[in-house]
mmCIF file of all heavy atoms in Angstrom:
data_model
loop_
_atom_site.group_PDB
_atom_site.id
_atom_site.type_symbol
_atom_site.label_atom_id
_atom_site.label_comp_id
_atom_site.label_asym_id
_atom_site.label_seq_id
_atom_site.Cartn_x
_atom_site.Cartn_y
_atom_site.Cartn_z
ATOM 1 N N VAL A 368 2.746 11.644 23.207
ATOM 2 C CA VAL A 368 3.841 12.619 23.223
ATOM 3 C C VAL A 368 3.270 13.951 22.741
ATOM 4 O O VAL A 368 2.796 14.051 21.599
ATOM 5 C CB VAL A 368 4.986 12.159 22.290
ATOM 6 C CG1 VAL A 368 6.066 13.221 22.171
ATOM 7 C CG2 VAL A 368 5.567 10.827 22.746
ATOM 8 N N PHE A 369 3.283 14.945 23.634
ATOM 9 C CA PHE A 369 2.697 16.231 23.336
ATOM 10 C C PHE A 369 3.776 17.288 23.245
ATOM 11 O O PHE A 369 4.499 17.525 24.209
ATOM 12 C CB PHE A 369 1.703 16.628 24.421
ATOM 13 C CG PHE A 369 0.466 15.758 24.463
ATOM 14 C CD1 PHE A 369 0.498 14.517 25.130
ATOM 15 C CD2 PHE A 369 -0.712 16.140 23.826
ATOM 16 C CE1 PHE A 369 -0.632 13.721 25.176
ATOM 17 C CE2 PHE A 369 -1.839 15.334 23.855
ATOM 18 C CZ PHE A 369 -1.816 14.117 24.522
ATOM 19 N N ILE A 370 3.939 17.919 22.090
ATOM 20 C CA ILE A 370 4.972 18.952 21.897
ATOM 21 C C ILE A 370 4.304 20.223 21.379
ATOM 22 O O ILE A 370 3.836 20.282 20.242
ATOM 23 C CB ILE A 370 6.039 18.477 20.886
ATOM 24 C CG1 ILE A 370 6.651 17.164 21.333
ATOM 25 C CG2 ILE A 370 7.120 19.545 20.716
ATOM 26 C CD1 ILE A 370 7.531 16.497 20.313
ATOM 27 N N ARG A 371 4.238 21.218 22.216
ATOM 28 C CA ARG A 371 3.511 22.465 21.874
ATOM 29 C C ARG A 371 2.213 22.098 21.149
ATOM 30 O O ARG A 371 1.892 22.640 20.068
ATOM 31 C CB ARG A 371 4.374 23.383 21.017
ATOM 32 C CG ARG A 371 5.415 24.131 21.850
ATOM 33 C CD ARG A 371 5.851 25.434 21.214
ATOM 34 N NE ARG A 371 6.190 25.251 19.822
ATOM 35 C CZ ARG A 371 5.782 26.053 18.852
ATOM 36 N NH1 ARG A 371 5.002 27.074 19.116
ATOM 37 N NH2 ARG A 371 6.148 25.826 17.617
ATOM 38 N N ALA A 372 1.483 21.225 21.810
ATOM 39 C CA ALA A 372 0.351 20.581 21.117
ATOM 40 C C ALA A 372 -0.917 21.420 21.150
ATOM 41 O O ALA A 372 -1.128 22.213 22.101
ATOM 42 C CB ALA A 372 0.079 19.237 21.807
ATOM 43 N N PRO A 373 -1.760 21.253 20.154
ATOM 44 C CA PRO A 373 -3.079 21.849 20.167
ATOM 45 C C PRO A 373 -4.028 20.942 20.948
ATOM 46 O O PRO A 373 -3.749 19.761 21.159
ATOM 47 C CB PRO A 373 -3.468 21.861 18.682
ATOM 48 C CG PRO A 373 -2.795 20.625 18.143
ATOM 49 C CD PRO A 373 -1.506 20.460 18.928
ATOM 50 N N ILE A 374 -5.166 21.505 21.347
ATOM 51 C CA ILE A 374 -6.268 20.673 21.832
ATOM 52 C C ILE A 374 -7.492 20.909 20.931
ATOM 53 O O ILE A 374 -7.544 21.916 20.243
ATOM 54 C CB ILE A 374 -6.648 20.969 23.309
ATOM 55 C CG1 ILE A 374 -7.039 22.428 23.470
ATOM 56 C CG2 ILE A 374 -5.503 20.586 24.227
ATOM 57 C CD1 ILE A 374 -7.716 22.734 24.808
ATOM 58 N N ILE A 375 -8.422 19.969 21.012
ATOM 59 C CA ILE A 375 -9.678 20.154 20.302
ATOM 60 C C ILE A 375 -10.678 20.697 21.332
ATOM 61 O O ILE A 375 -11.030 20.015 22.299
ATOM 62 C CB ILE A 375 -10.132 18.800 19.715
ATOM 63 C CG1 ILE A 375 -9.087 18.311 18.707
ATOM 64 C CG2 ILE A 375 -11.491 18.984 19.050
ATOM 65 C CD1 ILE A 375 -9.370 16.909 18.145
ATOM 66 N N GLU A 376 -11.107 21.934 21.118
ATOM 67 C CA GLU A 376 -11.965 22.600 22.123
ATOM 68 C C GLU A 376 -13.408 22.142 21.980
ATOM 69 O O GLU A 376 -14.133 22.062 22.963
ATOM 70 C CB GLU A 376 -11.890 24.103 21.963
ATOM 71 C CG GLU A 376 -10.595 24.684 22.432
ATOM 72 C CD GLU A 376 -10.654 26.208 22.394
ATOM 73 O OE1 GLU A 376 -10.953 26.782 21.319
ATOM 74 O OE2 GLU A 376 -10.376 26.834 23.433
ATOM 75 N N SER A 377 -13.839 21.904 20.757
ATOM 76 C CA SER A 377 -15.210 21.445 20.546
ATOM 77 C C SER A 377 -15.292 20.714 19.232
ATOM 78 O O SER A 377 -14.461 20.920 18.339
ATOM 79 C CB SER A 377 -16.194 22.617 20.581
ATOM 80 O OG SER A 377 -15.903 23.506 19.542
ATOM 81 N N VAL A 378 -16.287 19.824 19.141
ATOM 82 C CA VAL A 378 -16.425 19.016 17.911
ATOM 83 C C VAL A 378 -17.867 19.130 17.420
ATOM 84 O O VAL A 378 -18.799 19.290 18.193
ATOM 85 C CB VAL A 378 -16.086 17.525 18.161
ATOM 86 C CG1 VAL A 378 -14.655 17.368 18.632
ATOM 87 C CG2 VAL A 378 -17.061 16.867 19.126
ATOM 88 N N GLY A 379 -17.992 19.035 16.106
ATOM 89 C CA GLY A 379 -19.328 19.037 15.477
ATOM 90 C C GLY A 379 -19.977 17.642 15.596
ATOM 91 O O GLY A 379 -19.343 16.683 16.022
ATOM 92 N N LYS A 380 -21.207 17.561 15.133
ATOM 93 C CA LYS A 380 -21.997 16.330 15.292
ATOM 94 C C LYS A 380 -21.394 15.134 14.590
ATOM 95 O O LYS A 380 -21.534 13.991 15.041
ATOM 96 C CB LYS A 380 -23.412 16.558 14.724
ATOM 97 C CG LYS A 380 -24.329 17.320 15.625
ATOM 98 C CD LYS A 380 -25.780 17.085 15.227
ATOM 99 C CE LYS A 380 -26.745 17.989 15.961
ATOM 100 N NZ LYS A 380 -26.710 19.361 15.454
ATOM 101 N N SER A 381 -20.718 15.382 13.499
ATOM 102 C CA SER A 381 -20.211 14.268 12.699
ATOM 103 C C SER A 381 -18.867 13.747 13.191
ATOM 104 O O SER A 381 -18.285 12.845 12.631
ATOM 105 C CB SER A 381 -20.087 14.706 11.234
ATOM 106 O OG SER A 381 -19.330 15.886 11.182
ATOM 107 N N VAL A 382 -18.369 14.364 14.280
ATOM 108 C CA VAL A 382 -17.045 13.995 14.782
ATOM 109 C C VAL A 382 -17.170 13.111 16.008
ATOM 110 O O VAL A 382 -17.942 13.379 16.922
ATOM 111 C CB VAL A 382 -16.235 15.260 15.149
ATOM 112 C CG1 VAL A 382 -14.866 14.903 15.706
ATOM 113 C CG2 VAL A 382 -16.092 16.175 13.935
ATOM 114 N N ARG A 383 -16.376 12.048 15.999
ATOM 115 C CA ARG A 383 -16.356 11.131 17.143
ATOM 116 C C ARG A 383 -15.086 11.345 17.943
ATOM 117 O O ARG A 383 -13.983 11.297 17.385
ATOM 118 C CB ARG A 383 -16.410 9.683 16.600
ATOM 119 C CG ARG A 383 -16.529 8.676 17.681
ATOM 120 C CD ARG A 383 -16.719 7.278 17.087
ATOM 121 N NE ARG A 383 -16.288 6.334 18.098
ATOM 122 C CZ ARG A 383 -15.597 5.260 17.865
ATOM 123 N NH1 ARG A 383 -15.248 4.913 16.634
ATOM 124 N NH2 ARG A 383 -15.213 4.468 18.854
ATOM 125 N N VAL A 384 -15.244 11.578 19.234
ATOM 126 C CA VAL A 384 -14.054 11.760 20.094
ATOM 127 C C VAL A 384 -13.445 10.368 20.374
ATOM 128 O O VAL A 384 -14.139 9.462 20.781
ATOM 129 C CB VAL A 384 -14.451 12.434 21.421
ATOM 130 C CG1 VAL A 384 -13.261 12.484 22.374
ATOM 131 C CG2 VAL A 384 -14.950 13.854 21.159
ATOM 132 N N LEU A 385 -12.158 10.237 20.124
ATOM 133 C CA LEU A 385 -11.469 8.947 20.322
ATOM 134 C C LEU A 385 -10.678 8.936 21.639
ATOM 135 O O LEU A 385 -10.417 7.869 22.165
ATOM 136 C CB LEU A 385 -10.518 8.639 19.167
ATOM 137 C CG LEU A 385 -11.127 8.480 17.782
ATOM 138 C CD1 LEU A 385 -10.031 8.159 16.783
ATOM 139 C CD2 LEU A 385 -12.202 7.383 17.793
ATOM 140 N N CYS A 386 -10.294 10.113 22.090
ATOM 141 C CA CYS A 386 -9.471 10.136 23.289
ATOM 142 C C CYS A 386 -9.555 11.514 23.969
ATOM 143 O O CYS A 386 -9.484 12.545 23.312
ATOM 144 C CB CYS A 386 -8.003 9.830 22.926
ATOM 145 S SG CYS A 386 -6.903 9.847 24.355
ATOM 146 N N ALA A 387 -9.709 11.473 25.282
ATOM 147 C CA ALA A 387 -9.694 12.706 26.063
ATOM 148 C C ALA A 387 -8.823 12.481 27.293
ATOM 149 O O ALA A 387 -8.719 11.364 27.800
ATOM 150 C CB ALA A 387 -11.106 13.116 26.495
ATOM 151 N N LEU A 388 -8.173 13.528 27.752
ATOM 152 C CA LEU A 388 -7.385 13.448 28.994
ATOM 153 C C LEU A 388 -8.336 13.383 30.182
ATOM 154 O O LEU A 388 -9.551 13.551 30.039
ATOM 155 C CB LEU A 388 -6.494 14.677 29.100
ATOM 156 C CG LEU A 388 -5.536 14.947 27.910
ATOM 157 C CD1 LEU A 388 -4.705 16.182 28.166
ATOM 158 C CD2 LEU A 388 -4.630 13.729 27.665
ATOM 159 N N ASP A 389 -7.790 13.133 31.366
ATOM 160 C CA ASP A 389 -8.629 12.978 32.576
ATOM 161 C C ASP A 389 -9.541 14.184 32.800
ATOM 162 O O ASP A 389 -10.635 14.046 33.298
ATOM 163 C CB ASP A 389 -7.748 12.759 33.798
ATOM 164 C CG ASP A 389 -7.107 11.374 33.788
ATOM 165 O OD1 ASP A 389 -7.598 10.522 32.995
ATOM 166 O OD2 ASP A 389 -6.124 11.159 34.511
ATOM 167 N N ASP A 390 -9.056 15.379 32.419
ATOM 168 C CA ASP A 390 -9.854 16.583 32.648
ATOM 169 C C ASP A 390 -10.853 16.835 31.499
ATOM 170 O O ASP A 390 -11.497 17.879 31.479
ATOM 171 C CB ASP A 390 -8.965 17.800 32.846
ATOM 172 C CG ASP A 390 -8.154 18.150 31.595
ATOM 173 O OD1 ASP A 390 -8.313 17.441 30.557
ATOM 174 O OD2 ASP A 390 -7.380 19.116 31.641
ATOM 175 N N GLY A 391 -10.961 15.892 30.572
ATOM 176 C CA GLY A 391 -11.931 16.038 29.491
ATOM 177 C C GLY A 391 -11.383 16.646 28.230
ATOM 178 O O GLY A 391 -12.081 16.721 27.190
ATOM 179 N N THR A 392 -10.141 17.121 28.257
ATOM 180 C CA THR A 392 -9.541 17.747 27.082
ATOM 181 C C THR A 392 -9.426 16.740 25.928
ATOM 182 O O THR A 392 -8.850 15.662 26.087
ATOM 183 C CB THR A 392 -8.118 18.254 27.429
ATOM 184 O OG1 THR A 392 -8.199 19.132 28.510
ATOM 185 C CG2 THR A 392 -7.459 18.913 26.219
ATOM 186 N N ILE A 393 -10.015 17.080 24.788
ATOM 187 C CA ILE A 393 -10.034 16.158 23.648
ATOM 188 C C ILE A 393 -8.708 16.203 22.907
ATOM 189 O O ILE A 393 -8.257 17.272 22.492
ATOM 190 C CB ILE A 393 -11.184 16.512 22.688
ATOM 191 C CG1 ILE A 393 -12.530 16.483 23.432
ATOM 192 C CG2 ILE A 393 -11.210 15.569 21.475
ATOM 193 C CD1 ILE A 393 -13.692 17.079 22.636
ATOM 194 N N VAL A 394 -8.104 15.032 22.677
ATOM 195 C CA VAL A 394 -6.813 14.999 22.013
ATOM 196 C C VAL A 394 -6.767 14.037 20.802
ATOM 197 O O VAL A 394 -5.733 13.940 20.140
ATOM 198 C CB VAL A 394 -5.674 14.642 22.994
ATOM 199 C CG1 VAL A 394 -5.474 15.774 24.015
ATOM 200 C CG2 VAL A 394 -5.904 13.316 23.713
ATOM 201 N N ALA A 395 -7.880 13.375 20.522
ATOM 202 C CA ALA A 395 -7.947 12.559 19.301
ATOM 203 C C ALA A 395 -9.393 12.459 18.863
ATOM 204 O O ALA A 395 -10.307 12.354 19.713
ATOM 205 C CB ALA A 395 -7.383 11.165 19.517
ATOM 206 N N ALA A 396 -9.624 12.545 17.575
ATOM 207 C CA ALA A 396 -10.994 12.493 17.052
ATOM 208 C C ALA A 396 -10.998 11.980 15.652
ATOM 209 O O ALA A 396 -9.966 11.927 14.961
ATOM 210 C CB ALA A 396 -11.620 13.883 17.121
ATOM 211 N N ARG A 397 -12.194 11.609 15.217
ATOM 212 C CA ARG A 397 -12.338 11.073 13.871
ATOM 213 C C ARG A 397 -13.653 11.587 13.243
ATOM 214 O O ARG A 397 -14.652 11.731 13.949
ATOM 215 C CB ARG A 397 -12.371 9.552 13.974
ATOM 216 C CG ARG A 397 -12.688 8.876 12.703
ATOM 217 C CD ARG A 397 -12.637 7.390 12.893
ATOM 218 N NE ARG A 397 -13.221 6.779 11.693
ATOM 219 C CZ ARG A 397 -13.446 5.494 11.561
ATOM 220 N NH1 ARG A 397 -13.150 4.657 12.559
ATOM 221 N NH2 ARG A 397 -13.942 5.030 10.464
ATOM 222 N N GLN A 398 -13.588 11.891 11.987
ATOM 223 C CA GLN A 398 -14.786 12.286 11.228
ATOM 224 C C GLN A 398 -14.709 11.530 9.901
ATOM 225 O O GLN A 398 -13.897 11.889 9.047
ATOM 226 C CB GLN A 398 -14.783 13.786 10.995
ATOM 227 C CG GLN A 398 -15.930 14.319 10.163
ATOM 228 C CD GLN A 398 -15.787 15.803 9.841
ATOM 229 O OE1 GLN A 398 -15.489 16.592 10.717
ATOM 230 N NE2 GLN A 398 -15.955 16.174 8.593
ATOM 231 N N ASP A 399 -15.544 10.522 9.786
ATOM 232 C CA ASP A 399 -15.486 9.669 8.588
ATOM 233 C C ASP A 399 -14.037 9.185 8.330
ATOM 234 O O ASP A 399 -13.468 8.542 9.166
ATOM 235 C CB ASP A 399 -16.082 10.396 7.371
ATOM 236 C CG ASP A 399 -17.538 10.764 7.614
ATOM 237 O OD1 ASP A 399 -18.246 9.991 8.268
ATOM 238 O OD2 ASP A 399 -17.939 11.863 7.210
ATOM 239 N N ASN A 400 -13.490 9.586 7.188
ATOM 240 C CA ASN A 400 -12.127 9.124 6.834
ATOM 241 C C ASN A 400 -11.019 10.011 7.420
ATOM 242 O O ASN A 400 -9.866 9.747 7.171
ATOM 243 C CB ASN A 400 -11.989 9.099 5.310
ATOM 244 C CG ASN A 400 -12.229 10.455 4.667
ATOM 245 O OD1 ASN A 400 -13.180 11.146 5.004
ATOM 246 N ND2 ASN A 400 -11.326 10.848 3.784
#
Side-chain angles (χ1 to χ4, degrees):
V368 175
F369 292 83
I370 304 170
R371 282 206 311 133
I374 58 168
I375 299 174
E376 287 186 306
S377 61
V378 301
K380 281 200 189 75
S381 52
V382 178
R383 184 174 158 221
V384 173
L385 297 181
C386 180
L388 304 181
D389 289 344
D390 65 1
T392 303
I393 302 169
V394 293
R397 173 177 168 187
Q398 176 186 314
D399 301 322
N400 59 314

